[in-house]
Amino acid sequence: MVLGVSGGIAAYKACELLRRLTESGHDVTVVPTAAALEFVGPATWAALSGKPVSTQVWTDAHAVPHVRIGQEADLVVVAPATADLMARAAHGLADDLLTSTLLTARCPVVLAPAMHTEMWEHPATRANVETLRGRGVHVIEPAEGRLTGKDTGKGRLPEAAEIFEVCRSVLGGDTPGDLAGRRVVVSAGGTREYLDPVRFLGNRSSGIQGYALASEAARRGAEVTLISANAVQPDPAGVEVVHVETTEQLRDAVVKAALHADSVVMAAAPADFRPTTTSDTKIKKAADGSAPAIELEQNPDILATISHERAHEHQVVVGFAAETGDATGSVLDHAREKLARKGCDLLVVNDVSGGAVFGSPDNEAVILGADGSRVDVPRGTKTALARVVWDQVRERLVGP
């Protein structure tokens, strides 16, 4: 594998990507541009990759590195890919070792852009991106967030974990683009119901699974809206993110986004109950040690609402169920009852006995279908589960 690094401030983030690639067993050759070495020196790349690093086509000229590196690669990933690097790649320039490698590579190529918003949105950059994509290059959408200085906007380098997952998908050949042209809505995280300005009722949902679902859908070509309830993960690249706090806010955002969606996946954990009244001031401790009584009322059932009041008849709705068994039935008993009651097409069932799943990078699940189907997903990454969920959704989508 070749890791190209071009000259942007985000070059330091490529160190984390390199660590992930090498620790997963890949043989990585780092090819930085001369400008990239102004941000991260050759000693760092050599130490992390275990190989000498050069930007020059003249180093070890007898080995013809400007040809051999690209010819022998199974994957080339450039992170960050600056506007300048993409312009040179789009026009077939080969004026340094990295662009020569890109021109000779016959393997998959992944570019992770990073630049200021104005540069990303400039017609020249957009044309170069379309040219590269037209040649089969995987150009990841940049993330939104803090850029250099005080600037914020679209153009931030996606997190190393995201780029790594794209590389792994491309190497495995499992980036079918089968959701291209589809609009999907994913919810993630756990809602909060406030008792006073300080305290709230909540749950342990971290949002990791929902973010994995949103990222996987974007990788497969979908137009994704992610409704995020109090999750702390960075916004995924190429995804529209709407941040909410309460169950009512989550419901409003999901219902609005679902109006034009081909599929809605409710991975968030909405609070089932909320206080009937909320104090405008912090509730103080009583001098006698007594605790205040809190009266609760039930929150609206978002999954049931969007399942029974679909924007169109072909919309595919997916729910998640965090269940534990009890004296009245097993995890799957409760899940099957919930599937029938909610009215969704698929229900992803997690056994959360003992707090399993919450905050973990791994997951295992049973996916129950309203058509009587059952798919058992063994323990693996939450990205792996996301792939299976979208496979099941794609089977149920009507049309190409």
Side-chain angles (χ1 to χ4, degrees):
M1 184 179 294
V2 174
L3 171 59
V5 186
S6 59
I9 185 62
Y12 76 93
K13 291 186 176 181
C15 296
E16 171 64 15
L17 175 60
L18 176 56
R19 184 189 66 80
R20 287 176 178 269
L21 293 171
T22 55
E23 289 187 356
S24 61
H26 296 294
D27 180 356
V28 185
T29 298
V30 182
V31 181
T33 63
L37 294 182
E38 296 292 330
F39 295 98
V40 181
T44 299
W45 301 121
L48 291 174
S49 67
K51 293 183 175 184
V53 171
S54 175
T55 66
Q56 302 297 323
V57 296
W58 312 110
T59 303
D60 294 327
H62 65 283
V64 201
H66 70 290
V67 173
R68 292 283 180 255
I69 293 175
Q71 286 180 332
E72 296 173 356
D74 297 305
L75 178 76
V76 177
V77 54
V78 182
T82 60
D84 176 73
L85 183 283
M86 291 196 297
R88 289 189 287 144
H91 288 84
L93 300 183
D95 54 358
D96 62 10
L97 190 56
L98 179 53
T99 50
S100 296
T101 297
L102 289 170
L103 201 59
T104 57
R106 294 298 179 265
C107 60
V109 174
V110 175
L111 301 182
M115 64 198 72
H116 273 72
T117 306
E118 293 82 0
M119 299 174 75
W120 172 252
E121 293 177 347
H122 194 282
T125 303
R126 304 309 306 154
N128 290 333
V129 169
E130 291 308 309
T131 296
L132 291 164
R133 285 175 171 164
R135 295 176 186 157
V137 176
H138 301 268
V139 183
I140 306 172
E141 285 289 311
E144 294 190 30
R146 183 71 178 269
L147 305 173
T148 54
K150 297 180 180 179
D151 294 338
T152 60
K154 190 167 187 177
R156 182 181 175 88
L157 183 71
E159 295 300 312
E162 278 194 75
I163 303 172
F164 175 75
E165 288 297 336
V166 172
C167 292
R168 187 159 65 173
S169 296
V170 171
L171 277 173
D174 56 353
T175 53
D178 55 358
L179 295 178
R182 300 291 188 173
R183 293 181 177 180
V184 303
V185 177
V186 179
S187 68
T191 61
R192 298 174 177 178
E193 303 298 340
Y194 285 90
L195 300 167
D196 61 24
V198 177
R199 304 176 182 90
F200 59 84
L201 301 176
N203 57 66
R204 295 179 60 188
S205 179
S206 65
I208 296 174
Q209 184 64 74
Y211 274 61
L213 284 157
S215 295
E216 177 63 17
R219 281 195 290 271
R220 293 167 74 155
E223 181 181 328
V224 186
T225 300
L226 173 63
I227 315 297
S228 176
N230 307 296
V232 298
Q233 291 85 357
D235 290 352
V239 172
E240 178 187 359
V241 183
V242 178
H243 294 278
V244 299
E245 289 190 273
T246 68
T247 301
E248 185 175 10
Q249 292 170 351
L250 178 66
R251 179 199 61 193
D252 292 346
V254 169
V255 169
K256 179 181 178 180
L259 289 174
H260 305 289
D262 297 293
S263 179
V264 182
V265 180
M266 280 293 299
D272 291 326
F273 306 99
R274 64 187 176 197
T276 55
T277 59
T278 301
S279 174
D280 293 330
T281 59
K282 181 181 177 181
I283 301 171
K284 303 297 191 293
K285 290 183 180 178
D288 61 3
S290 62
I294 300 172
E295 184 178 352
L296 302 176
E297 62 183 350
Q298 195 164 339
N299 265 323
D301 191 323
I302 304 173
L303 179 58
T305 298
I306 60 174
S307 295
H308 294 294
E309 301 175 14
R310 304 190 189 209
H312 56 84
E313 62 177 321
H314 299 306
Q315 190 173 68
V316 178
V317 178
V318 182
F320 272 67
E323 289 289 351
T324 60
D326 57 26
T328 64
S330 67
V331 167
L332 287 181
D333 289 335
H334 292 307
R336 290 190 180 96
E337 184 275 330
K338 181 175 287 188
L339 174 63
R341 175 165 44 87
K342 302 283 188 178
C344 51
D345 300 289
L346 295 164
L347 189 69
V348 183
V349 186
N350 292 133
D351 184 343
V352 295
S353 302
V357 176
F358 295 118
S360 169
D362 297 328
N363 203 349
E364 61 181 311
V366 176
I367 304 176
L368 300 178
D371 55 4
S373 62
R374 169 177 171 167
V375 177
D376 293 84
V377 184
R379 177 161 292 278
T381 66
K382 289 183 174 178
T383 296
L385 175 58
R387 292 189 185 116
V388 179
V389 171
W390 288 120
D391 288 345
Q392 292 298 305
V393 170
R394 184 64 187 90
E395 288 181 7
R396 290 163 173 79
L397 290 171
V398 174

